[in-house]
Amino acid sequence: MDESGKGSERWGAAIANLAEMGSNLESLQKLLLKKAVFVDEETFAKASLTSEQAKTIKALEQRVATLERELDAAITAAARARSEKRQAEVVQKAAELNALEVTRELENTTNVFKLHMEELRIKQEEIAKRDSDIKLLEAIIQTLGGRESTATQDN
């Protein structure tokens, strides 16, 4: 079958469906007219009010459900934030302890350095004293050496 045959077949089926729907609608309308209950305005107003209240209640129930979900999400977020805060506090405490340890190590290193510097100063003083002693001895030797050379020259 070609495209134009299929298209007209579809149109025919669609028109038949529309005709059947029209017939069904007419039957429904007749049934409603036979079965319809007519009420006075006060009863209709009360029914309308009840219907509006039911719609309002349903909308409020949906809003309550939405708010409950938002509350649950907020509680979950708060719990997560508390957990993250505790973790951050643990990390901060560890960092503080590490900083204290590093500070102690630096103080110990400084004390050791001071001791070494004191030892070096003492050794430098010893070296300077010995150097002074050596110079004194050299001067004495030169003086004695000069006397010997003058003494030998006198002989």
Side-chain angles (χ1 to χ4, degrees):
M1 198 179 272
D2 63 346
E3 289 294 319
S4 63
K6 286 183 182 178
S8 63
E9 205 175 289
R10 286 184 185 164
W11 273 110
I15 291 172
N17 283 342
L18 284 173
E20 187 176 337
M21 284 173 44
S23 171
N24 288 342
L25 188 58
E26 284 178 27
S27 296
L28 184 60
Q29 187 178 13
K30 287 179 187 175
L31 183 64
L32 283 175
L33 286 174
K34 288 182 186 176
K35 302 284 182 168
V37 175
F38 294 98
V39 292
D40 61 7
E41 281 192 37
E42 183 182 336
T43 306
F44 180 76
K46 286 180 184 177
S48 293
L49 179 63
T50 303
S51 173
E52 286 300 315
Q53 288 174 343
K55 287 179 186 177
T56 303
I57 289 170
K58 184 167 179 125
L60 290 173
E61 286 173 345
Q62 289 174 348
R63 180 68 180 144
V64 166
T66 300
L67 290 173
E68 286 174 344
R69 285 191 300 275
E70 289 175 5
L71 178 62
D72 289 342
I75 289 170
T76 301
R80 188 178 318 114
R82 281 191 300 275
S83 174
E84 289 173 359
K85 180 184 175 206
R86 281 191 296 272
Q87 289 174 350
E89 288 171 347
V90 167
V91 169
Q92 180 182 2
K93 188 69 174 175
E96 289 171 356
L97 290 174
N98 188 29
L100 283 173
E101 188 172 326
V102 167
T103 302
R104 282 190 202 116
E105 287 180 22
L106 284 173
E107 288 171 352
N108 289 339
T109 302
T110 301
N111 290 335
V112 168
F113 181 75
K114 285 178 182 177
L115 290 173
H116 286 304
M117 287 300 294
E118 184 62 23
E119 287 177 13
L120 284 173
R121 188 189 60 73
I122 291 170
K123 289 196 186 268
Q124 280 180 335
E125 286 176 0
E126 286 177 15
I127 290 170
K129 185 175 185 267
R130 286 184 183 176
D131 191 40
S132 174
D133 290 346
I134 289 172
K135 286 181 183 176
L136 179 63
L137 289 173
E138 283 177 347
I140 291 172
I141 291 171
Q142 282 179 358
T143 304
L144 289 175
R147 283 189 192 160
E148 281 180 21
S149 59
T150 53
T152 45
Q153 285 175 0
D154 290 338
N155 286 341

